[in-house]
Amino acid sequence: MKLATRILWLAVAAMVAVACGGGAVADNDTTKPDDKNEKPTPAVKDAYKLPPTSSDTQFKIAGNVMVAPDVKEEGLVRNPAMGWVLYDDANDPVANASEYWMEMDKYAQYASILYVRWRWSDLEPVEGEYVWKDKSSNFSRLIKGALDRGLKLAFRIYYDSNGNCKQSTPEYVLEAGAEGFRTEVNGTENRWSPYADDKIFQEKLATFIKAFAEEFDDPARVDYIDAFNLGWWGEGHNINLKAGNDNEEAKTEVVKWITTLYGEAFKRVPLVINYHNAIGEQNLDWVVENQGYELRHDAFGSKYYADFERGYANKYKTRRMIVAESCYWFVNTDYGGAQSGEYDFTEQWRSDETYNPRANSWRDVYKRTYSEALEARANMLDMRERREAESWIRQAFDVVEDFINNGGYRLSPVAVSFPAIVKRGNVCKVAHSWQNSGYGVCPNFDKRWGGKYKVAVALLNAKGEVVQKVVDQTADPATWLRENDAAKYNLSFKVDCPTAGRYYWAVGIVDTSLEEVPVALNLAVEDVDFEDKWVVTGGVVVEYAAVATPV
């Protein structure tokens, strides 16, 4: 329901209530109108009907009305850094933007993010010429297609050519004198990759990453950046070093160099690193604690997601955002270095001894991936490209729906207590409580988000315009966890409406990093239009006061 429509319903309800002698408090009467099929307004239920707790007195403020918004338990609620993820993974040729969206448009309705994994050589084929500068380029049209469908963006950049259909690092880096190694692919081609500790490679990559950040360090469009990407498929294993692959000191220097490079370039968008044991736990801890990285892993639902991976996720879950990716997917055998004759590489899971290739199916792979993602409290899970997305929908649509309803974070107000009549210039008291019914966490603790999301209480006029907004600095969505009781807060502030009259209370979660402090997150509440984001909880009459009470 549009915000203005909801407010109109509130006004009508108020007039009916006054005519019946009910006064201002009747704004929150949720009794269905007689002989009509109309929705009551607002969409709330009497919070006093909830099971009583010892803390209910916190909400029983003299002169206040308490309501409980009707929580939306099912259905897609899009928010930053959470949800199903579509891919264009250019370990094979990059997707044609027009063809990609013709195929993927029907799957975008379930997703929240487009994750673009492209080669550096495709993003900067000639030194200093970046494909995103050309708004008519295939890359720019792919990105625009995601944004036009309400999806956010995420990126990984390939430098290592192993398992790729072409050279991942631009040729100009090799021509500049960077040293590297060659990988035989399908017995027919040797593809060059740079050593991760080569100074020329590092210098050229630094220039590219800074330019990339100038364009994509934008949380309005981008949810996260994979900010490591060394080794095979950018996952952190099989990193080749000029100093020797077993040189732990050299590897640590490289880990610190590349994560510092990304960390200094990106100031506003979260960064993630694959928590692969080949990187080393001490190195990973340094990146997480010193550079403020979040976490991802690319082997959920497989034998490769084992004791170290589970232990590391348990170490940081609820304190760091976790991105989950299924290990197994449909692979084009023309690329990726598949060994002909070993097994059907399009169904890699059949070579995993933790599965029974005769008894198990893709559905079993999806169910296990989902289960392990929930165990890790993951915010995101991959639906990936067309073949995978189609398979998810056909074979495990119930799992797709379950992750929509339970994955990531799902925030809603549990109860709000507000005055029905206030005097302009006087202090009023509002109590509010909140819950997160998702298994994930709102990563408000992220170093680059900087705790920017806060709860706000607003007064709206009849047009739905905010006339006063007060931010509760104590209410942090990152602390709301599924297993915890509702988080409860009290807020006192001076009523500062421009004039006396009839207004409407609303609650929302705002972005304090922006000058206008706009309402920013979608809340899991029924009958709230996601374009509006404010949850209207009831009406209030603001009267003139001859003398204001002290704060």
Side-chain angles (χ1 to χ4, degrees):
M1 184 183 293
K2 288 285 187 181
L3 186 57
T5 304
R6 174 178 288 252
I7 288 176
L8 177 60
W9 273 109
L10 280 166
V12 172
M15 288 187 289
V16 172
V18 170
C20 296
V25 176
D27 280 359
N28 305 287
D29 183 4
T30 60
T31 305
K32 292 182 179 180
D34 291 337
D35 301 322
K36 290 186 178 181
N37 229 351
E38 298 168 342
K39 290 184 178 180
T41 155
V44 295
K45 56 181 177 289
D46 186 351
Y48 290 113
K49 294 177 182 176
L50 300 176
T53 68
S54 59
S55 59
D56 273 354
T57 55
Q58 179 178 352
F59 285 82
K60 295 179 180 179
I61 301 170
N64 276 23
V65 176
M66 183 166 69
V67 298
D70 191 4
V71 174
K72 179 182 175 70
E73 297 180 352
E74 298 181 344
L76 181 64
V77 179
R78 280 179 175 156
N79 272 316
M82 59 160 285
W84 281 105
V85 185
L86 305 182
Y87 282 37
D88 179 34
D89 192 347
N91 65 311
D92 52 11
V94 299
N96 175 281
S98 299
E99 294 175 0
Y100 181 88
W101 288 116
M102 285 182 63
E103 293 181 337
M104 298 300 290
D105 189 56
K106 59 186 173 183
Y107 305 117
Q109 63 182 303
Y110 307 110
S112 299
I113 300 165
L114 172 67
Y115 179 42
V116 178
R117 292 210 289 219
W118 274 33
R119 289 171 290 272
W120 178 12
S121 57
D122 287 319
L123 294 168
E124 189 190 16
V126 177
E127 188 168 11
E129 295 184 8
Y130 307 116
V131 294
W132 59 83
K133 297 289 187 181
D134 180 1
K135 299 308 177 185
S136 65
S137 70
N138 182 57
F139 175 82
S140 294
R141 289 185 290 110
L142 182 69
I143 297 307
K144 185 177 185 301
L147 298 174
D148 287 348
R149 288 164 175 79
L151 305 180
K152 301 284 283 296
L153 306 172
F155 295 96
R156 173 183 291 182
I157 301 164
Y158 289 127
Y159 334 121
D160 195 314
S161 303
N162 184 76
N164 224 293
C165 73
K166 57 187 285 191
Q167 184 172 304
S168 296
T169 293
E171 186 69 16
Y172 79 79
V173 180
L174 173 60
E175 293 172 349
E179 296 184 51
F181 59 98
R182 291 188 176 273
T183 304
E184 185 177 287
V185 181
N186 293 335
T188 61
E189 183 181 351
N190 289 325
R191 296 187 187 132
W192 181 81
S193 301
Y195 288 121
D197 55 345
D198 180 85
K199 297 304 180 185
I200 295 175
F201 160 69
Q202 292 184 355
E203 175 188 337
K204 299 297 186 182
L205 182 63
T207 300
F208 170 79
I209 294 302
K210 290 171 185 176
F212 190 73
E214 287 178 5
E215 176 67 22
F216 292 109
D217 189 21
D218 177 10
R221 295 182 295 153
V222 181
D223 268 355
Y224 73 88
I225 301 290
D226 254 338
F228 187 75
N229 310 336
L230 295 171
W232 291 4
W233 309 298
E235 294 178 349
H237 54 87
N238 295 285
I239 298 173
N240 281 271
L241 303 171
K242 187 162 38 174
N245 295 356
D246 295 329
N247 189 321
E248 292 298 321
E249 183 178 348
K251 182 173 73 174
T252 295
E253 289 179 3
V254 165
V255 170
K256 291 185 176 181
W257 159 73
I258 198 164
T259 56
T260 300
L261 169 62
Y262 275 97
E264 291 178 349
F266 285 88
K267 306 294 186 184
R268 304 168 62 208
V269 171
L271 305 178
V272 305
I273 187 170
N274 203 38
Y275 54 101
H276 199 287
N277 60 4
I279 297 173
E281 185 167 3
Q282 287 187 336
N283 288 335
L284 287 168
D285 287 346
W286 185 90
V287 173
V288 171
E289 301 296 340
N290 289 276
Q291 294 296 337
Y293 272 47
E294 310 301 330
L295 298 169
R296 70 168 289 130
H297 205 280
D298 296 1
F300 280 81
S302 78
K303 63 182 179 181
Y304 303 108
Y305 196 77
D307 292 342
F308 173 82
E309 288 73 24
R310 287 188 174 86
Y312 204 78
N314 286 334
K315 180 177 179 178
Y316 280 108
K317 66 184 182 184
T318 73
R319 295 194 294 127
R320 286 291 184 269
M321 175 182 79
I322 292 181
V323 182
E325 176 180 301
S326 177
C327 180
Y328 298 125
W329 53 296
F330 295 102
V331 177
N332 187 331
T333 54
D334 291 338
Y335 309 109
Q339 299 300 309
S340 177
E342 279 190 58
Y343 54 86
D344 183 356
F345 208 67
T346 63
E347 294 196 338
Q348 301 163 300
W349 63 268
R350 293 188 184 276
S351 68
D352 185 334
E353 59 270 19
T354 60
Y355 289 99
N356 182 334
R358 294 185 180 275
N360 291 134
S361 66
W362 272 112
R363 177 174 173 81
D364 297 305
V365 176
Y366 297 147
K367 288 172 64 178
R368 176 171 159 186
T369 299
Y370 170 65
S371 176
E372 291 180 355
L374 286 193
E375 179 188 348
R377 312 294 286 268
N379 272 30
M380 285 160 265
L381 188 57
D382 62 313
M383 190 174 286
R384 211 177 276 260
E385 297 181 319
R386 180 190 62 80
R387 292 182 67 188
E388 292 79 42
E390 182 180 22
S391 184
W392 271 103
I393 297 301
R394 286 187 175 182
Q395 301 196 49
F397 186 62
D398 57 324
V399 180
V400 172
E401 290 186 311
D402 280 349
F403 192 75
I404 287 173
N405 297 333
N406 296 299
Y409 56 94
R410 199 174 181 92
L411 311 179
S412 59
V414 175
V416 183
S417 171
F418 55 86
I421 302 174
V422 296
K423 295 188 181 296
R424 184 168 173 262
N426 280 16
V427 172
C428 72
K429 296 180 180 180
V430 173
H432 53 105
S433 63
W434 296 78
Q435 69 176 1
N436 173 11
S437 58
Y439 279 87
V441 60
C442 177
N444 209 34
F445 43 65
D446 181 77
K447 178 178 180 178
R448 287 156 186 86
W449 277 11
K452 64 182 180 179
Y453 292 119
K454 299 290 184 183
V455 173
V457 176
L459 282 171
L460 312 180
N461 63 20
K463 296 180 180 179
E465 300 166 335
V466 177
V467 297
Q468 184 178 2
K469 178 168 50 186
V470 180
V471 177
D472 190 336
Q473 296 292 345
T474 67
D476 182 0
T479 64
W480 307 341
L481 301 177
R482 180 184 178 97
E483 63 271 24
N484 293 349
D485 292 335
K488 302 176 176 66
Y489 308 92
N490 285 95
L491 183 64
S492 297
F493 57 92
K494 183 183 292 186
V495 176
D496 191 23
C497 295
T499 62
R502 185 161 198 86
Y503 296 93
Y504 302 88
W505 290 111
V507 293
I509 298 180
V510 296
D511 184 346
T512 61
S513 71
L514 301 176
E515 184 176 357
E516 62 273 25
V517 193
V519 62
L521 297 187
N522 290 311
L523 301 178
V525 175
E526 294 286 1
D527 296 320
V528 171
D529 191 287
F530 288 154
E531 292 180 10
D532 297 321
K533 295 184 173 66
W534 287 111
V535 175
V536 178
T537 57
V540 57
V541 173
V542 178
E543 300 176 339
Y544 285 111
V547 180
T549 58
V551 177

